[in-house]
Amino acid sequence: MAKDLYLKLDLNLLRTFVILSQELNMRKASERLFVSQPAISQALLKLRNHFDDELFVKTRHGLKPTAFGEELMDSINPVMDELSSTLNCSQDFDPADLNGSIRIALAPHILTYLSSKLFHAIRKDAPNVDVHLLNWSPTTLEDLNKGEIAIGVNFDIHHAPKELIRKKVGDDTFIVYVRKDHPIKKDVISPKDVKGYEMANLIIPDWNSNTSQAERVMKSHGLSVRIGFRSELPMAVLDVVRHTDMVYPSTTFVPERELRELRGMKVTIEGNDITFPVIAYYHQKNKRNPTTLWLHKLINNLLQKETVK
């Protein structure tokens, strides 16, 4: 008779296995589980004996799952996530009861535009939490996948991990900003109107790290473009645009106080605005988590108010 691997397994070991499969590092796994590294090693030994497989092998950079380890990880992770969601959503939820910290990652232009409004909205409902608003970075998708960030907001990222839920929270409109006395005097332009002008570009990790959306639009119309300045800081880009003839293809998410010396020109193609969906990202395991759903609704309401102005 085949060995019953379920009935004879301590389910606490599965949680250790899940965290190890995410971190692939004994020290980081021990920190997340708030146990010592020897305790992690002992748990891994029990798992190896139970499944009669090494599960992970050591490499120069940490741990690497075996073929069986990968198969087990793909099978167990969704089940554990579903169990977590079921248990968490069974509780009565009031954000006023929350404490500790909430970590939210935002694309740089959204962070600059929305930080104060979002902070006050969270604190109004949850006065006892510490709010950590993070600039979207090259590790944000990984941090969301590990559960180290509650929710993230960016444009549509096609290479986001399959474990992350993607929910639209609004639309953004393509606007080109120039200094007040810029040679281009129009209020509405087409891509050909900026031909010959250097562009300033805001780097948004995971969305335009290599090629900006403006470059794609220009090239799709057979127009060449030179990116004369790039930065991850919206304020740096705006400052350069104020003092040059550069054009800055951006979004509606620019603080009003920063527009005193700039003009915004709407970009249309065949009479139509260029818009992009704004997406909230969070892990599948949190699809029914009341805190995550509260944050999603709060961010969605804020962005909807801002985009209909």
Side-chain angles (χ1 to χ4, degrees):
M1 184 175 179
K3 178 181 177 182
D4 191 325
L5 295 176
Y6 173 72
L7 288 179
K8 296 183 178 181
L9 178 64
D10 179 352
L11 294 183
N12 287 320
L13 294 177
L14 285 184
R15 185 160 181 259
T16 300
F17 172 79
V18 168
I19 299 301
L20 269 175
S21 70
Q22 293 173 349
E23 296 293 348
L24 298 177
N25 182 287
M26 299 284 278
R27 177 184 59 79
K28 291 181 179 179
S30 70
E31 290 174 353
R32 283 186 63 186
L33 290 167
F34 301 101
V35 299
S36 66
Q37 288 192 52
I40 296 291
S41 298
Q42 187 64 27
L44 180 55
L45 178 61
K46 291 179 180 179
L47 285 163
R48 284 169 168 167
N49 290 335
H50 184 81
F51 290 108
D52 193 23
D53 189 271
E54 284 294 294
L55 299 177
F56 302 96
V57 295
K58 290 184 178 180
T59 70
R60 290 176 55 192
H61 306 292
L63 299 176
K64 179 181 178 181
T66 64
F68 178 75
E70 285 189 346
E71 181 182 343
L72 186 63
M73 178 172 54
D74 290 342
S75 300
I76 287 178
N77 275 349
V79 177
M80 296 295 283
D81 291 344
E82 186 67 26
L83 178 60
S84 174
S85 295
T86 300
L87 293 175
N88 285 327
C89 75
S90 65
Q91 306 175 38
D92 292 332
F93 176 74
D94 182 351
D97 296 331
L98 294 175
N99 51 47
S101 62
I102 290 177
R103 290 162 55 87
I104 302 172
L106 304 170
H109 61 299
I110 298 176
L111 176 61
T112 302
Y113 185 82
L114 209 61
S115 55
S116 178
K117 296 182 179 72
L118 182 54
F119 168 75
H120 288 294
I122 292 173
R123 274 293 183 84
K124 179 181 177 182
D125 290 349
N128 299 315
V129 301
D130 297 329
V131 182
H132 297 187
L133 298 184
L134 311 174
N135 207 26
W136 192 287
S137 77
T139 66
T140 294
L141 289 176
E142 180 183 354
D143 293 338
L144 283 164
N145 207 23
K146 291 179 180 178
E148 295 177 4
I149 294 176
I151 193 168
V153 181
N154 204 328
F155 290 122
D156 197 4
I157 301 170
H158 298 294
H159 61 271
K162 64 181 183 299
E163 294 86 358
L164 297 185
I165 290 175
R166 300 146 60 125
K167 289 276 190 176
K168 183 177 174 181
V169 287
D171 284 301
D172 202 359
T173 304
F174 211 37
I175 304 290
V176 169
Y177 295 96
V178 295
R179 59 183 174 84
K180 286 281 189 182
D181 55 349
H182 193 276
I184 301 177
K185 302 300 182 184
K186 297 180 178 180
D187 294 323
V188 180
I189 62 173
S190 66
K192 67 179 181 181
D193 289 314
V194 298
K195 179 182 178 182
Y197 289 98
E198 285 186 296
M199 284 189 178
N201 177 230
L202 177 65
I203 300 171
I204 303 175
D206 287 319
W207 193 66
N208 71 352
S209 300
N210 299 316
T211 305
S212 70
Q213 190 63 34
E215 289 176 272
R216 297 187 187 102
V217 170
M218 293 292 283
K219 289 178 181 178
S220 70
H221 286 74
L223 302 170
S224 61
V225 59
R226 179 184 174 188
I227 306 297
F229 181 75
R230 302 185 86 211
S231 175
E232 296 178 349
L233 302 176
M235 296 301 99
V237 177
L238 291 169
D239 189 53
V240 168
V241 173
R242 286 190 199 99
H243 299 94
T244 66
D245 278 345
M246 285 189 182
V247 297
Y248 173 34
S250 184
T251 77
T252 54
F253 297 125
V254 176
E256 290 184 14
R257 65 181 181 276
E258 301 299 330
L259 298 178
R260 292 167 188 160
E261 300 176 53
L262 299 173
R263 285 191 295 111
M265 303 179 293
K266 185 178 291 189
V267 185
T268 62
I269 296 179
E270 297 180 353
N272 297 314
D273 295 346
I274 304 176
T275 60
F276 304 100
V278 181
I279 308 295
Y281 298 84
Y282 53 92
H283 199 280
Q284 290 276 358
K285 68 182 179 183
N286 294 323
K287 65 182 178 182
R288 289 187 291 182
N289 180 283
T291 302
T292 302
L293 296 178
W294 163 67
L295 287 172
H296 175 268
K297 182 178 180 180
L298 189 152
I299 292 170
N300 181 76
N301 289 342
L302 276 176
L303 288 176
Q304 292 294 332
K305 288 179 183 177
E306 296 303 321
T307 53
V308 298
K309 283 183 178 180

